[in-house]
């Protein structure tokens, strides 16, 4: 599962005291990662509630809901470069602790938000803290495990994402059934306290002995470019017109800034991201696969909540329970993915995994208002199994391509592409969903006043809200909203599946195949005889 050429030379052993408690440290790192993953999965279940008018929710529009997710993700992705470099420079434990504290503060204030704008702001603060958590967890992992155990540890680390996916929706559903919507954020606070205590006691500190300078210009350029690009795409979905000036200007401007960012990184003596790593086909394919799989899945996760709750009429808890097959598949198969890769090679395993993800996404194009629950469970299980055989191998490929002292930078690259892919997936696929829905429902809104017509066409929740106020006369509008949403979901699902297929092609062409016995491979770090067989 390592890149066969250009791998770093052998590095010093992990200190014996750290090596002995490595699995306890991994448990703490998983718990820290769980906080970040848990928050996003909870929010996906709560989008319908937050979209409801006050006092039940905040009356957030679909665009505001997307920004409640994307404000977190964009700040997260934009700061990952600096967070990884800062961890390498001043110590990964320090930035991990600081990130957890900031995440907890943001969670507490997000729970008290009185408007969508406040929620978006505090979600951005949470993203700021999370940016220092996720790269640090993977960087610490790489510094407490020897090279031969890293694939196993990374598989378990990736499997904790599945645990978060399972716990998040169920926890969110239970909280929403008994408390107000802000409880989904307030629940993070006690978890943060427990994580802080465990980190102080168990997690060792580590850093790069020869750190480079930080790259604030690169970070600023990446944030500006991504925000402009995604804002333009969301605006296009709101207007159902991607040729409008208010859409084209931010999209073109964002792309231009991102081009400047790449050029700056190439010329910088201490870049936030070393562009030369992308000259290795396996490395570039691995990060592309990460971005593509999350582009496809995050968009589907966003609209599936509306499908299950708005069209099918299930509660947040019931919707959360339906995600269990996906989570269980990840928890079961991700830690064991290394065994399949050792037998068949990363290329074959990841290609099949991406194809399974594509099949699962395409299945949404066949869902209607009466699709049996067991069919949905099978689809989610297929998706989870596919992801479990993609994420660990590509993460190993990224992390083992860099020297251990640059683990923060490698983790930042891995997680940045993951988060940027997810943000763009929500923006692009959410915009497609919105545009198709608006186009399909427009003909059924003719009898409404002009102001109400515009509001009702914003999203399925908005349409259902107007229909509810109409009483029995709104029944035909409810049926029309369900039909329009299903049509939009089918189009979006096909788009998601095509993105996953592109990912399958990328990994099939560029990831390394199975290593033949006796073939030269990446140098392994030396392991003391006392550790043999552990």
């Amino acid at each position: 599962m390592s890149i066969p050429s250009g791998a770093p030379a052998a590095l010093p052993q992990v200190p014996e005291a750290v090596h002995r408690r490595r699995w306890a440290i991994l448990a703490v790192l998983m718990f820290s990662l769980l906080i970040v993953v848990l928050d996003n999965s909870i929010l996906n279940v709560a989008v319908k509630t937050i979209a409801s008018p006050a006092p039940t929710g905040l009356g957030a529009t679909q665009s505001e809901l997307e920004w409640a997710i994307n404000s977190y993700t964009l700040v997260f992705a934009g700061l990952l470069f600096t967070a990884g470099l800062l961890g390498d420079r001043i110590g990964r434990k320090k930035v991990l602790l600081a990130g957890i504290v900031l995440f907890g503060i943001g969670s507490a204030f997000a729970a008290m938000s009185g408007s969508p704008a406040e929620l978006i702001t505090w979600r951005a603060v949470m993203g700021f803290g999370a940016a220092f958590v996720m790269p640090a967890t993977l960087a610490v992992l790489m510094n407490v495990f020897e090279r031969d155990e890293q694939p196993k540890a990374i598989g378990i680390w990736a499997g904790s994402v599945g645990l978060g996916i399972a716990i998040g929706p169920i926890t969110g559903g239970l909280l929403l059934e008994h408390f107000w919507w802000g409880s989904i954020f307030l629940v993070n606070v006690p978890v943060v306290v427990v994580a802080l205590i465990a980190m102080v006691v168990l997690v060792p500190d580590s850093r790069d002995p020869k750190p480079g300078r930080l790259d604030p210009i690169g970070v600023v350029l990446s944030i500006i470019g991504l925000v402009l690009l995604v804002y333009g795409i969301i605006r296009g979905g709101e207007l159902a017109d991607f040729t409008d000036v208010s859409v084209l200007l931010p999209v073109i401007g964002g792309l231009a800034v991102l081009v400047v960012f790449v050029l700056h990184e190439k010329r910088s003596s201490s870049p936030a991201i070393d562009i030369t790593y992308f000259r290795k086909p396996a490395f570039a394919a691995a990060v592309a696969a990460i971005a593509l799989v999350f582009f496809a899945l995050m968009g589907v996760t966003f609209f599936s909540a509306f499908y299950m709750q708005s069209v099918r009429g299930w509660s947040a808890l019931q919707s959360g329970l339906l995600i269990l097959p996906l989570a269980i598949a990840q928890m079961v198969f991700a830690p064991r993915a290394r065994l399949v890769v050792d037998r068949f090679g990363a290329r074959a395993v990841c290609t099949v995994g991406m194809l399974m993800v594509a099949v699962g996404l395409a299945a949404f194009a066949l869902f209607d208002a009466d699709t049996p629950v067991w069919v949905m469970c099978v689809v989610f299980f297929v998706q989870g199994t596919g992801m479990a055989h993609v994420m660990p191998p590509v993460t190993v490929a990224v992390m083992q391509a860099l020297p251990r002292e640059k683990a923060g930078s490698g983790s930042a690259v891995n997680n940045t592409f993951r988060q940027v892919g997810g943000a763009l997936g929500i923006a692009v696929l959410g915009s497609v969903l919105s545009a198709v829905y608006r186009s399909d429902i427009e003909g059924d809104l003719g009898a409404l006043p002009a102001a109400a017509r515009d509001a009702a066409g914003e999203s399925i929740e908005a349409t259902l809200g107007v229909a509810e106020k109409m009483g029995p006369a709104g029944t035909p509008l409810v049926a029309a909203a369900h039909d329009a949403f299903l049509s939009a979901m089918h189009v979006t699902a096909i788009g998601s599946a095509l993105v996953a297929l592109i990912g399958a092609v990328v990994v099939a062409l560029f990831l390394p195949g199975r290593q033949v016995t006796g073939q030269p491979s990446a140098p392994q770090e030396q392991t003391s005889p006392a550790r043999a067989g552990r």
Side-chain angles (χ1 to χ4, degrees):
M1 292 171 66
S2 58
I3 295 178
S5 62
L11 296 173
Q13 295 175 9
V14 175
E16 187 65 30
V18 174
H19 181 78
R20 283 198 299 267
R21 65 176 191 270
R22 64 197 186 282
W23 297 111
I25 294 170
L26 178 59
V28 176
L29 297 177
M30 289 173 58
F31 193 64
S32 305
L33 178 64
L34 182 64
I35 300 172
V36 178
V37 177
L38 185 76
D39 177 74
N40 269 335
S41 59
I42 284 181
L43 182 58
N44 286 328
V45 172
V47 289
K48 181 178 182 294
T49 303
I50 296 174
S52 302
T56 303
L58 294 176
T61 65
Q62 180 164 326
S63 176
E64 288 169 336
L65 289 173
E66 289 176 2
W67 273 107
I69 297 173
N70 281 334
S71 64
Y72 174 98
T73 306
L74 289 177
V75 172
F76 186 8
L79 291 178
L80 276 171
F81 296 133
T82 298
L85 293 174
L86 194 60
D88 287 344
R89 187 182 186 91
I90 69 172
R92 289 141 193 153
K93 181 176 182 177
K94 294 183 181 67
V95 300
L96 184 58
L97 292 171
I100 285 288
V101 170
L102 189 57
F103 185 87
I105 293 172
S107 297
F109 280 99
M112 306 302 173
S113 298
S115 68
E118 289 183 21
L119 177 60
I120 291 169
T121 299
W122 290 113
R123 285 280 297 165
V125 173
M126 294 170 66
F128 194 105
F132 289 84
V133 174
M134 186 169 277
T137 61
L138 191 51
V140 170
L141 182 154
M142 297 300 290
N143 279 271
V144 300
F145 284 91
E146 302 288 4
R147 188 178 182 87
D148 59 342
E149 282 190 323
Q150 286 169 1
K152 180 179 180 181
I154 288 175
I156 297 172
W157 179 87
S160 65
V161 174
L163 183 61
I165 292 172
I167 294 177
I170 296 171
T171 303
L174 287 170
L175 290 171
L176 291 173
E177 284 196 353
H178 297 91
F179 305 100
W180 96 113
W181 65 266
S183 62
I184 67 171
F185 297 113
L186 200 60
V187 73
N188 291 333
V189 177
V191 180
V192 164
V193 173
V194 173
L196 281 172
I197 296 172
M199 286 178 203
V200 170
V201 174
L202 289 172
V203 176
D205 205 358
S206 60
R207 68 183 70 186
D208 185 351
K210 297 179 180 179
R213 297 191 307 273
L214 295 178
D215 183 24
I217 295 178
V219 171
V220 170
L221 287 172
S222 66
I223 293 175
I224 293 174
L226 288 169
V227 169
L228 284 174
L229 177 61
V230 176
Y231 172 79
I233 294 170
I234 292 175
R235 181 64 177 164
E238 290 177 339
L239 300 176
D241 181 8
F242 286 87
T243 62
D244 190 89
V245 174
S246 64
V247 176
L248 290 176
L249 285 181
V251 168
I252 294 173
L255 291 173
V257 172
L258 291 175
V259 169
V260 173
F261 165 73
V262 172
L263 294 175
H264 168 76
E265 296 303 295
K266 285 184 176 181
R267 297 174 182 175
S268 174
S269 58
S270 298
I273 177 174
D274 190 345
I275 302 298
T276 60
Y277 287 128
F278 291 90
R279 295 175 182 172
K280 302 177 181 180
F283 182 90
V287 294
I290 291 170
L292 289 169
V293 73
F294 274 88
F295 180 100
L297 281 171
M298 287 302 291
V300 170
T301 301
F302 181 74
F303 71 65
S304 65
F306 287 99
Y307 166 71
M308 289 188 284
Q309 296 181 48
S310 299
V311 176
R312 302 301 296 266
W314 295 324
S315 68
L317 176 58
Q318 290 171 324
S319 300
L321 290 172
L322 281 171
I323 305 294
L324 269 177
L326 186 149
I328 291 172
Q330 284 210 52
M331 288 187 290
V332 170
F333 294 115
R336 296 169 174 78
R338 76 190 191 283
L339 302 176
V340 187
V341 171
D342 288 342
R343 181 170 182 179
F344 299 105
R347 179 190 302 159
V349 172
C350 290
T351 300
V352 172
M354 290 294 289
L355 290 174
M356 292 179 71
V357 171
V359 169
L361 295 173
F364 272 88
L366 303 176
F367 286 4
D368 56 30
D370 302 309
T371 299
V373 170
W374 71 266
V375 173
M376 298 178 62
C377 290
V378 170
V379 169
F380 282 127
F381 186 82
V382 170
Q383 286 182 335
T385 303
M387 280 196 68
H389 289 89
V390 173
M391 298 312 299
V394 296
T395 302
V396 170
V398 171
M399 296 304 296
Q400 290 194 343
L402 281 69
R404 175 180 281 168
E405 62 267 21
K406 301 294 183 183
S409 301
S411 181
V413 170
N414 177 77
N415 290 299
T416 295
F417 275 83
R418 172 176 171 167
Q419 294 303 318
V420 170
L424 292 177
I426 292 171
V428 173
L429 298 177
S431 297
V432 171
L433 182 75
S434 177
V436 177
Y437 178 81
R438 182 187 289 268
S439 175
D440 286 355
I441 197 66
E442 194 170 12
D444 297 284
L445 303 177
L448 299 176
R453 190 183 312 137
D454 291 338
E458 175 71 22
S459 66
I460 184 173
E461 278 303 305
T463 308
L464 294 178
V466 171
E468 185 177 359
K469 293 178 182 178
M470 295 171 62
T475 302
L477 187 56
V478 171
H482 288 172
D483 290 341
F485 182 84
L486 287 172
S487 177
M489 184 181 76
H490 295 163
V491 172
T492 310
I494 294 299
S496 303
L498 290 176
V499 171
L501 285 176
I502 293 173
V505 172
V506 169
V507 297
L509 291 177
F510 299 109
L511 277 189
R514 181 186 178 189
Q515 290 188 7
V516 180
T517 304
Q519 176 183 333
S521 59
Q524 297 293 311
E525 295 171 20
Q526 299 299 316
T527 304
S528 63
R531 297 181 187 176
R534 289 189 184 185

